[in-house]
Amino acid sequence: MKREQLRVYFIMGSTHVKLREPLSILEQALDAGITMFQFREKGSGALKGQAYESFARECQQRCRSYGVPFIVNDDIDLALKLDADGVHVGQEDAALPEVRQKMGSDKIVGVSVHSMHELEEAISYQADYVGIGPIFATKSKDDAKKPAGTVFLRQAAERAPDLPIVAIGGITEHNFQEPLEAGADGVAVISAICESGDVAETVRRFKR
Ligand code: TZP
Ligand code: MG
């Protein structure tokens, strides 16, 4: 993958968008130029079974028509079934060697890291990118850790200058410069886009 693809990484599930139609938000975000999309359907009220898979396929079709990578959160079986462009896993999900073996060398494998030890593991198991956060406080993840600021992000960017890094957690159009200045290649956001009154304008601001 190219690190530019992390620039505006939109993450969405149906539970994040309340009343508004999630596919319409995704279409607006794609049209405005998001560079990567992660399907993250989890938490209370999340779709299950056939509805879950159908919704994933609907999202994937839209990403395909814009040539934007479609990444699946956690669910490697779904990623394989749909021939997704990649997966993103946390430290509590399947171990990286197993994820890589199942996905194959051509797919994108991203992992969340919170410490130097986890970063070293991500490097040695050839993750394609790492996610670092939460940078700021977030409402979008039930089990999110405390906001970490940009200290570790900066250290990680220095330690691994060739590894693409995306910052996550509480990032908005008003604070996104801070993680970029600390060394992130881009920002991953849920609520900043899902709750925006003007999705297209929000995405454009992240690209400026
Ligand atoms: N991982 C760390 S923070 C977070 C995830 C999935 C949630 C990010 O959502 P938001 O709304 O952009 O803070
Ligand atoms: Mg996970």
Side-chain angles (χ1 to χ4, degrees), residues 19-166:
L19 296 174
R20 288 158 72 203
E21 169 69 43
L23 293 172
S24 142
I25 293 184
L26 176 55
E27 280 167 8
Q28 291 170 55
L30 286 163
D31 206 51
I34 58 164
T35 54
M36 186 116 126
F37 175 71
Q38 184 185 120
F39 178 74
R40 185 174 181 277
E41 183 68 18
K42 64 199 285 186
S44 72
L47 299 171
K48 302 265 182 259
Q50 197 48 52
Y52 167 77
E53 186 180 320
S54 304
F55 178 46
R57 287 185 191 278
E58 295 282 351
C59 292
Q60 182 181 30
Q61 271 173 14
R62 283 158 180 81
C63 290
R64 274 203 178 138
S65 66
Y66 283 87
V68 166
F70 172 82
I71 307 295
V72 173
N73 182 275
D74 291 359
D75 189 345
I76 295 154
D77 293 337
L78 180 73
L80 291 171
K81 188 168 186 185
L82 268 55
D83 191 27
D85 300 298
V87 286
H88 183 94
V89 291
Q91 294 293 324
E92 293 79 25
D93 303 311
L96 276 183
E98 182 193 337
V99 177
R100 175 60 75 196
Q101 190 249 325
K102 285 187 171 166
M103 294 298 295
S105 55
D106 295 345
K107 298 294 188 185
I108 297 171
V109 173
V111 63
S112 303
V113 300
H114 314 91
S115 66
M116 273 299 163
H117 172 71
E118 291 173 0
L119 177 68
E120 296 296 345
E121 270 192 357
I123 296 166
S124 61
Y125 294 122
Q126 282 144 33
D128 293 290
Y129 76 87
V130 293
I132 293 184
I135 306 294
F136 307 113
T138 178
K139 305 171 283 150
S140 308
K141 183 173 159 78
D142 297 337
D143 58 348
K145 299 189 191 317
K146 278 200 316 196
T150 54
V151 175
F152 173 59
L153 169 62
R154 202 175 283 279
Q155 291 167 349
E158 277 165 21
R159 160 66 187 92
D162 297 330
L163 180 67
I165 299 178
V166 68

Side-chain angles (χ1 to χ4, degrees), residues 152-188:
F152 173 59
L153 169 62
R154 202 175 283 279
Q155 291 167 349
E158 277 165 21
R159 160 66 187 92
D162 297 330
L163 180 67
I165 299 178
V166 68
I168 187 166
I171 295 171
T172 69
E173 47 199 282
H174 308 292
N175 64 18
F176 75 103
Q177 293 295 348
E178 206 178 317
L180 294 183
E181 277 156 20
D185 295 291
V187 291

